[in-house]
Amino acid sequence: MANITAAAIKELREKTNVGMMECKKALTEADGDMEKAIVILRERGMAVAAKKAGRIAAEGLVWPMIAADGTAVIIEVNCETDFAAKSDNFGNFVKGLAEIVAAKNPADVDALMELEYADGITVAAELLSKVQTIGENIKIRRFFRFAPEAGVVSVMYNHHLAGKIGVIVRLAVSEGLESNEEVLTFGKNVCMNVAAYNPSTSTVTPFPLRDLKPRRRSSRLRSSTRASPKRSLKRSLPAVSASSTSRSAASTRATSLT
């Protein structure tokens, strides 16, 4: 049997982000062969992911970013708990995915899963590794990518950096104003309003009557429950859907501010 050194365990951990004990077990099973140990850990990760696949992933992180070339990306990745969503391990994974989307322009989530994440490891393999190390079901839910255009500036906003609401606004501007501070400030203010009110349109076209009815009902609900704070609180905070992390948070604010 090969002698498993602390240096070998550390190297395997750095390559896979798996815990020290799991790395030691894999190296022992692989008789000290680093590549074989990596394969063993990946297979175990697939088994762990399969067990967790049916568990609800209602928390997560929404991450907007603007690349150096002006490409705008916003991505949502879900996990099971708020604690995991706030961890550096999960956050760095989501940020890395956003950078890949910006650089590689995958058609959808399935195409993203096939791309290289780092050092020859695919996004799918890295996702399995995160499921194993974090210990939760993790799903890449959706992303949007906007290529840079002449005369268009993209501005992003991440609400309180909490990762629940992310916004990207694209503004049509005159040539030479793409980096203007007043334009960027205006764009950020628009983003903040989108985060707060979750508008259904960006135009000034009058709303159809059917679109105004929900707002009227919300106004009546608030005024009719104003005398009872406990009742008002229950009615103005709808349950957050597991499948709409960012939109649900914005909808809650829209209901309470209408």
Side-chain angles (χ1 to χ4, degrees), residues 11-32:
E11 181 182 351
L12 182 57
R13 175 175 169 77
E14 290 175 350
K15 287 183 175 181
T16 62
N17 289 321
V18 178
M20 299 288 282
M21 291 304 297
E22 289 298 321
C23 288
K24 183 177 180 180
K25 291 178 182 177
L27 282 168
T28 301
E29 185 177 338
D31 200 22

Side-chain angles (χ1 to χ4, degrees), residues 202-248:
S202 61
T203 68
V204 294
T205 304
F207 285 96
L209 181 60
R210 63 178 180 275
D211 292 337
L212 291 176
K213 287 181 179 179
R215 291 180 175 268
R216 289 178 178 174
R217 285 199 295 269
S218 297
S219 298
R220 288 198 299 270
L221 175 63
R222 187 177 65 174
S223 62
S224 65
T225 59
R226 188 170 297 170
S228 177
K230 292 183 179 179
R231 186 182 178 193
S232 177
L233 180 62
K234 290 180 180 178
R235 290 198 176 188
S236 64
L237 296 179
V240 177
S241 168
S243 62
S244 55
T245 306
S246 59
R247 186 175 180 84
S248 293

Side-chain angles (χ1 to χ4, degrees), residues 157-233:
Y157 174 67
N158 196 358
H159 187 63
H160 294 319
L161 299 180
K164 299 297 182 183
I165 303 175
V167 179
I168 286 178
V169 168
R170 308 185 76 216
L171 303 173
V173 298
S174 300
E175 184 178 355
L177 292 180
E178 291 85 356
S179 300
N180 183 278
E181 286 298 325
E182 291 186 19
V183 171
L184 296 178
T185 299
F186 170 74
K188 184 174 182 179
N189 288 337
V190 173
C191 285
M192 293 171 69
N193 276 275
V194 171
Y197 295 102
N198 192 22
S200 59
T201 178
S202 61
T203 68
V204 294
T205 304
F207 285 96
L209 181 60
R210 63 178 180 275
D211 292 337
L212 291 176
K213 287 181 179 179
R215 291 180 175 268
R216 289 178 178 174
R217 285 199 295 269
S218 297
S219 298
R220 288 198 299 270
L221 175 63
R222 187 177 65 174
S223 62
S224 65
T225 59
R226 188 170 297 170
S228 177
K230 292 183 179 179
R231 186 182 178 193
S232 177
L233 180 62

Side-chain angles (χ1 to χ4, degrees), residues 68-205:
D69 66 352
T71 301
V73 171
I74 186 167
I75 187 168
E76 178 183 354
V77 182
N78 298 132
C79 58
E80 295 180 41
T81 66
D82 186 54
F83 177 79
K86 292 179 179 179
S87 69
D88 291 339
N89 194 4
F90 184 81
N92 291 335
F93 174 60
V94 177
K95 294 172 187 178
L97 291 176
E99 292 174 0
I100 293 171
V101 171
K104 301 297 184 179
N105 190 22
D108 50 31
V109 172
D110 289 337
L112 172 60
M113 295 287 277
E114 298 299 321
L115 295 177
E116 180 181 357
Y117 185 83
D119 301 325
I121 299 174
T122 64
V123 170
E126 185 66 16
L127 177 62
L128 291 176
S129 174
K130 295 304 178 187
V131 170
Q132 187 175 17
T133 55
I134 295 174
E136 294 190 4
N137 186 20
I138 298 174
K139 293 183 178 180
I140 303 172
R141 181 163 183 258
R142 56 183 170 174
F143 63 81
F144 298 94
R145 181 185 185 274
F146 305 96
E149 296 180 37
V152 175
V153 58
S154 296
V155 187
M156 72 170 200
Y157 174 67
N158 196 358
H159 187 63
H160 294 319
L161 299 180
K164 299 297 182 183
I165 303 175
V167 179
I168 286 178
V169 168
R170 308 185 76 216
L171 303 173
V173 298
S174 300
E175 184 178 355
L177 292 180
E178 291 85 356
S179 300
N180 183 278
E181 286 298 325
E182 291 186 19
V183 171
L184 296 178
T185 299
F186 170 74
K188 184 174 182 179
N189 288 337
V190 173
C191 285
M192 293 171 69
N193 276 275
V194 171
Y197 295 102
N198 192 22
S200 59
T201 178
S202 61
T203 68
V204 294
T205 304

